[in-house]
Amino acid sequence: MTEQTFDYKIEQFADLQLLRYQVPGFESLTLKQKKLVYYLSEAALEGRDILFDQNGKFNLQIRKLLEAIYLHFQGDRSTADFQAMVIYMKRVWFSNGIHHHYACDKFVPGFSPDYMKGVLASMDEKILPLEEGETVEMMCDKLFPVIFDPLVMPKRVNQTDGDDLVLTSAANYYEGVTQQEAEDYYAALKKADDPEPIMFGMNSRLVKKDGKVQEEVWKIGGKYSKAIEKIVGWLEKAETVAENDAQKEVIRLLVEFYRSGDLKVFDTYSIAWLKDTESRVDFVNGFIESYGDPLGMKASWESIVNFKDLEATHRTEVISSNAQWFEDHSPVDARFKKKQVKGVSAKVITAAILGGDLYPSTAIGINLPNSNWIRSVHGSKSVTIGNLTDAYNKAARGNGFREEFVYSDVERTLLDKYADITDDLHTDLHECLGHGSGQLLPGVDPDALKAYGSTIEEARADLFGLYYLPDRKMIELGLVPDAEAYKAEYYSYMMNGLMTQLVRIEPGCNVEEAHMRNRQLIARWALKRGEAENVLEMKVCNGKTYVCVNDYARLRELFGGLLAEIQRIKSEGDFDAARSLVEEYGVKVDPVLHTEVLERYRKLNLAPYKGFVNPVYTPEYDAHGEITDVKVSYTEGYAEQMLRYSRDYSNL
Ligand code: ZN
């Protein structure tokens, strides 16, 4: 399909928009590489149910219930109630559960318990997802409070300072244990001076059984075994078409980890994975993101399969090959700098499939592994996902957003001219250099910042990128066209952090998600410092608030100052300073400005959150059952894809 005819937009509902992405270059992969992508993409889809269950213990049954109604209900499907139930189902699909994927609060259904009861009464109970020994009545008694009662499981992840974060979070990572018990359990496992500490608790649910706190490990023979067996089956096929021995070993180690649940093996796997930089095809498949656990330990399941975008990778290679220069010249205290920045590898990738916690809502950059000791000894692997960013940009052309929120034509011209470049570059700097920079002082617990750790870490990486965008080095390296370009990113970063990201927050709510907290923290902090010396300001014209940046050069110095402080907090494990920074700048929302932004945004009729439907890969076989080619197509719709996944990959 050509640029002109490819339709990036699929559908829009609630606060969500579904897009498609293209996979340019797939056709020119070798047959062996195509097979590898295909097998790994099947492995990526087999774990879908794991994430639903991790996000809440009733999610799978609720999803199956909604799908059964959607597929089999014979009554009037044109009513507002039924349509509201369809929207609710689509939101559950998007969030992999009943809580908002980003804001974490529970969806409010637009239909009543009585309506749903009536629908269920009209249906054959054989097609309903009843558990063993369960009647429809028992299922309703169990699930209806979960779906309808705003007081039951209200938040997937609760970060409210002072609450018992474990007991008050609906995520399914703990059962019957308090925050104190969870913290004590893991504190007892940690050895103070272990130079290579495994990520305790990462691949398990912590439960209290018979009065004893214990782990249910996610592995073959353990929890989620059925899904993991399927994943492993595809991984073993992938191993037979690996591009080289290094990649074969990566896959073998991952399989060993899925079989044993041994976190030491996971570390060995992670090191092998980050050192495999030669293979064209690469993938993530496993328990990775810890944002879903209020204590930041338990990792949600996700997968992405991708291959290197050779042209765009040149850009990130230039950045990473200069990593030491950036580390040496950063404004942080010398004690907190790495003497040697190791192995910051970076590439631009083309996503071929998204799964688990990367689907349908996805990251546009990835930096792994998460283990602190591996990062400091072996470095990390950084990627930015070129074809997804491109799809976002193309889908957003001409949607009226900049006309509404950007202060004047001066800034709009800057954004039109440079924003695509500087936005990518900021992501590259964040992923390739930001997360990999700096070091902890000896003896500092990597988890010392606890619930504030994620926000501080994201702020550190963002600030590193912001600080360097205007640097002369950027022009020298040929990464920006001129000395003005950085202003586009500065303006859009401040506008987003101070105002426009608020479109993602419900009225009356605070900022919860780590990346959003980080952006608001940086922007509010800079505004507070900058206002006094007229570096930047919030201007009101005709009842509309705008961000104005008057002195971009001075704003850079402010970013540098905050970077130094944030690095100190991380390096020293200064929990109190992390808490006060995040709580003072990152969390609270100005209700008047919030209302205004929501109102202006509503009129544009845009969705604040976007996600992607995957392409479909179809193998072609010869008479002996050998794959002769793999074809990619982009025609599947959203409900169509979700229902197919629920049918073909329903493992739990
Ligand atoms: Zn990050």
Side-chain angles (χ1 to χ4, degrees), residues 430-431 435 458 461 515:
H430 174 117
E431 298 293 345
H435 282 305
E458 293 309 320
H515 294 82

